Amino acid sequence: MIILGIESTAHTFGASVFDGKNILSNEKKAYTTMSGGMIPAKVADHHVEHGAEIMSLALKKAGMTFEDIDVIAYSASPGIGHMLRIGAVFARTLSLKLNKPLIPVNHCIAHLEIGRFLSGFDDPLLLYASGANTQVIAYESGRYRVFGETLDIGIGNFLDSVGRTMKLGFPAGPKIEKLALESTNYIELPYNVKGMDVSFGGLLTNVKNKLNQGYKLEDLCFSIQETVFAMLVEVCERAIAHTGKKQVVLGGGVGCNKRLKEMLKKMCDERGIDFYSPENEFLVDNAAMIAVAGHYSLETIEVAKSYIDPYLRTDEVEIKYRN
Ligand code: AMP
Ligand code: MG
């Protein structure tokens, strides 16, 4: 079965062809800007402009045409409405034109499923650290449950907000990582872990104040990374202790950060459990994960009933393909 995956929850428009065993292509184009952040209407325009070309490229790389597609999986939730709608419109149009079924996919679950697929792990816990989302997710009794999460903004949005104040452009995460490598001078910052959850809002205000007080960018970037990644690893470790899971996978664009990978791996090594980080192209938002998760679920929906849901939570989705 040939599945075309379409990703369109935020800044990335992606298309991927998956044959049930192999990812044959994984194309994407991500919105970037040097000033300001992500303005939904502008990002939606970007997806409209590049969507068809990305889908054609994905098919070409897979050596296929639209007629070879058996099923279309699209990211239906959660995400920003403007962008979700563009991917859904492409998916519905193809479904009607090709007369092939549609599968709605939850983006957060797709991050876990691509990690599970690539690692070969059967039952991993996911640390999902992306722009808008920060969650610790694992399977339990018919659903992917959220064992810990951010109480305010996602870690990537936090890094991008810090970067905007530092005039680093969007996305700022990779630039903060580079600056952090230039320092080992730790500046005390608020460490906000509340039970299984984390929060970044107070830290953001604190860092913005420090930027006005003349602290060096390199020192701040180093200290920010050490602080927020320690927070993530702590809640992840607590979730492992609670669930007894023996495998951890990483997901989300912030997962590209080498320091985060290193800290997470160290914690897993110390606990004697397995750790796997997908290649960067599968950590950031991508359509291969939508195709793979669609293949696992195979729960199709009629075009007339197809939906987008910007706020659907990971643990609201019933998972019928695992027991
Ligand atoms: P996603 O929403 O999963 O596509 O991830 C996008 C987020 O990942 C943005 O907030 C980026 O700033 C962040 N990001 C990308 N690369 C890195 C990196 N090397 N270190 C930290 N954050 C990163
Ligand atoms: Mg994501």
Side-chain angles (χ1 to χ4, degrees), residues 69-90:
I69 301 299
D70 297 310
V71 187
I72 299 138
Y74 72 103
S75 53
S77 63
I80 301 174
H82 292 68
M83 289 83 113
L84 279 170
R85 192 160 283 115
I86 307 302
V89 166
F90 275 118

Side-chain angles (χ1 to χ4, degrees), residues 114-311:
I114 189 76
R116 199 158 71 96
F117 172 76
L118 294 169
S119 62
F121 292 170
D122 58 342
D123 187 22
L125 178 138
L126 168 75
L127 173 61
Y128 176 29
S130 78
N133 299 292
T134 304
Q135 293 185 328
V136 176
I137 305 171
Y139 181 79
E140 204 74 70
S141 317
R143 281 175 199 233
Y144 282 112
R145 313 274 171 184
V146 177
F147 288 93
E149 65 187 314
T150 178
L151 297 172
D152 43 38
I153 53 174
I155 183 165
N157 285 0
F158 161 77
L159 294 171
D160 294 331
S161 298
V162 167
R164 190 148 69 235
T165 312
M166 292 179 175
K167 304 210 167 20
L168 300 179
F170 170 85
K175 291 167 187 161
I176 290 174
E177 176 173 31
K178 219 167 153 204
L179 285 166
L181 290 172
E182 304 296 317
S183 170
T184 50
N185 181 25
Y186 185 77
I187 299 162
E188 198 73 32
L189 293 173
Y191 183 93
N192 288 325
V193 170
K194 297 174 185 173
M196 304 288 275
D197 298 322
V198 292
S199 89
F200 301 106
L203 182 56
L204 182 59
T205 308
N206 186 288
V207 169
K208 282 183 175 169
N209 287 337
K210 285 204 166 59
L211 277 167
N212 291 328
Q213 292 161 16
Y215 284 89
K216 278 179 65 185
L217 287 195
E218 291 81 354
D219 294 345
L220 276 176
C221 289
F222 171 74
S223 309
I224 287 166
Q225 287 202 163
E226 293 304 302
T227 306
V228 293
F229 296 161
M231 285 160 51
L232 294 190
V233 173
E234 181 184 335
V235 292
C236 204
E237 182 166 19
R238 194 164 298 139
I240 290 162
H242 175 72
T243 59
K245 302 285 181 199
K246 301 269 182 282
Q247 301 157 330
V248 172
V249 295
L250 188 55
V254 181
C256 297
N257 190 290
K258 293 204 176 67
R259 181 62 181 141
L260 174 58
K261 286 190 221 268
E262 182 181 49
M263 288 168 76
L264 203 52
K265 176 158 193 320
K266 186 161 181 245
M267 180 272 287
C268 290
D269 287 348
E270 281 172 3
R271 295 191 74 95
I273 63 175
D274 293 327
F275 171 68
Y276 178 83
S277 171
E279 294 294 320
N280 286 357
E281 75 166 298
F282 301 113
L283 282 171
V284 298
D285 288 350
N286 67 90
M289 69 183 196
I290 303 300
V292 167
H295 176 75
Y296 283 149
S297 113
L298 290 182
E299 273 187 59
T300 60
I301 192 166
E302 287 169 40
V303 170
K305 290 190 180 151
S306 66
Y307 64 91
I308 59 164
D309 188 342
Y311 300 106

